[in-house]
Amino acid sequence: MDNTTQMKLGINIDHVAVLREARRVNDPDILNALYIACENGADQITIHLREDRRHIQDVDVKNILMHSKLPVNLECSIDKDILNIISDLKPHRVTLVPEKRQEVTTEGGLDVFAYSSEISYAIEQLHDSIIPVSLFVDPTIEAMDVSKELGAEMVELHTGSFANIFAMLNSNLSYSNHSIKELELPRYELQNKLEESLENISNAAIHAKKLGLEVAAGHGLNYHNVSYMMKINEITELNIGQSIIARSVFSGLAEAIKEMKRLTTR
Ligand code: PXP
């Protein structure tokens, strides 16, 4: 019997809005990105309405929901104002993520232990609006257990730590201005850390599936490291943004998505 599971590819098109907001003009147009993603192999559109509105704006969410032929996975924090807006907009799913004002991108998963009552309240509010909820969490057994207890339908495993170690080991990152200081380690140590991080992701995915949670993964995934996620059968969705939009600068968005779809087809 073939036990392989399908993999859904969600494209984080927010990075197109990052470029747009850099000049505060409607170019590149996020709806062009939506159209190209829908036509070239994406299975889902993922966008993050941040509290500081640094890329996606409220009107983008409305337009994307109105024009998307694919399900829209809306990422947001547990901030009450944001949740009120999102409950009214009714995306196909909400992924709750942690947010800090100063961060460049989402660093680490939701602290489901410290903010359990706020998260539980947020899940209840979203469920009242018939919106299924995923929690963006670090890949630990405890986080899976708490996510289930809090009532989420799904978890998205934060792969940022894996991706950082992979990049320090296998790319030019350690020679660049963006080298990650705490990962400036001998190669054998990085190799051990990489294996440990993969084991954490795999164990968390297996445990989450046993609990009846759907399992996604995302953050820092790219054309070089995504094959590792493909080996974890319990992961059935990947949300990828930066690497696809970065490649699209050189190859065009359609080609960048098609190539990622090829790499993420089981
Ligand atoms: N999933 C979640 C929950 C995220 O917050 C992000 C970052 O926007 C991603 C996936 C995509 O990460 P990346 O842009 O590094 O591919």
Side-chain angles (χ1 to χ4, degrees):
M1 197 174 70
D2 182 8
N3 285 327
T4 47
T5 52
Q6 298 279 316
M7 181 66 92
K8 267 201 316 190
L9 177 62
I11 312 281
N12 288 61
I13 57 173
D14 336 35
H15 301 271
V16 172
V18 170
L19 194 53
R20 178 193 68 190
E21 293 304 308
R23 289 298 290 267
R24 298 186 191 280
V25 289
N26 196 25
D27 188 20
D29 188 331
I30 195 92
L31 290 180
N32 280 345
L34 169 70
Y35 175 75
I36 292 168
C38 289
E39 295 301 312
N40 289 283
D43 300 302
Q44 167 173 283
I45 300 300
T46 298
I47 47 175
H48 184 174
L49 185 67
R50 290 189 67 102
E51 287 167 39
D52 61 13
R53 306 297 200 277
R54 73 170 71 153
H55 39 59
I56 293 293
Q57 310 294 312
D58 301 44
V59 68
D60 294 324
V61 182
K62 282 188 194 140
N63 285 337
I64 288 168
L65 283 168
M66 197 186 302
H67 294 286
S68 180
K69 292 179 189 160
L70 296 173
V72 176
N73 169 34
L74 189 48
E75 301 170 353
C76 72
S77 72
I78 51 173
D79 174 78
K80 287 203 171 73
D81 293 337
I82 287 276
L83 285 169
N84 288 339
I85 293 170
I86 281 172
S87 298
D88 288 343
L89 288 171
K90 297 207 189 312
H92 298 81
R93 186 210 298 146
V94 163
T95 299
L96 295 174
V97 302
E99 235 178 73
K100 291 190 217 123
R101 288 277 156 147
Q102 302 310 323
E103 70 190 358
V104 176
T105 180
T106 315
E107 298 160 356
L110 261 181
D111 188 342
V112 285
F113 311 100
Y115 296 101
S116 60
S117 54
E118 290 86 343
I119 294 168
S120 163
Y121 184 81
I123 293 176
E124 224 171 89
Q125 179 176 352
L126 292 163
H127 281 175
D128 284 347
S129 296
I130 332 276
I131 304 170
V133 181
S134 178
L135 301 181
F136 190 41
V137 284
D138 290 322
T140 67
I141 298 295
E142 297 76 17
M144 301 307 109
D145 286 333
V146 176
S147 298
K148 177 71 184 175
E149 279 163 27
L150 292 175
E153 282 80 19
M154 185 166 186
V155 284
E156 180 169 338
L157 306 179
H158 196 304
T159 52
S161 171
F162 153 76
N164 285 345
I165 299 165
F166 185 92
M168 287 296 279
L169 195 55
N170 296 308
S171 81
N172 60 354
L173 187 66
S174 64
Y175 302 99
S176 76
N177 287 343
H178 305 299
S179 175
I180 300 162
K181 292 281 168 256
E182 62 274 23
L183 291 177
E184 288 178 354
L185 300 167
R187 298 186 66 77
Y188 73 90
E189 274 190 49
L190 280 178
Q191 190 63 50
N192 288 343
K193 276 186 174 291
L194 189 72
E195 277 158 28
E196 199 183 310
S197 73
L198 279 168
E199 209 172 295
N200 291 342
I201 295 170
S202 176
N203 289 341
I206 291 168
H207 191 69
K209 187 168 179 199
K210 273 193 198 136
L211 293 172
L213 293 163
E214 274 189 83
V215 188
H219 205 96
L221 298 178
N222 61 34
Y223 297 86
H224 307 288
N225 65 22
V226 77
S227 60
Y228 288 85
M229 296 303 119
M230 296 304 295
K231 292 180 198 152
I232 304 173
N233 223 17
E234 290 73 16
I235 298 177
T236 54
E237 177 180 309
L238 300 174
N239 289 297
I240 309 181
Q242 169 72 23
S243 63
I244 293 175
I245 306 303
R247 179 168 288 207
S248 77
V249 172
F250 304 108
S251 73
L253 185 55
E255 282 312 310
I257 293 173
K258 277 188 207 159
E259 176 60 3
M260 187 57 86
K261 183 65 187 169
R262 190 182 69 76
L263 295 175
T264 57
T265 299
R266 282 187 169 129

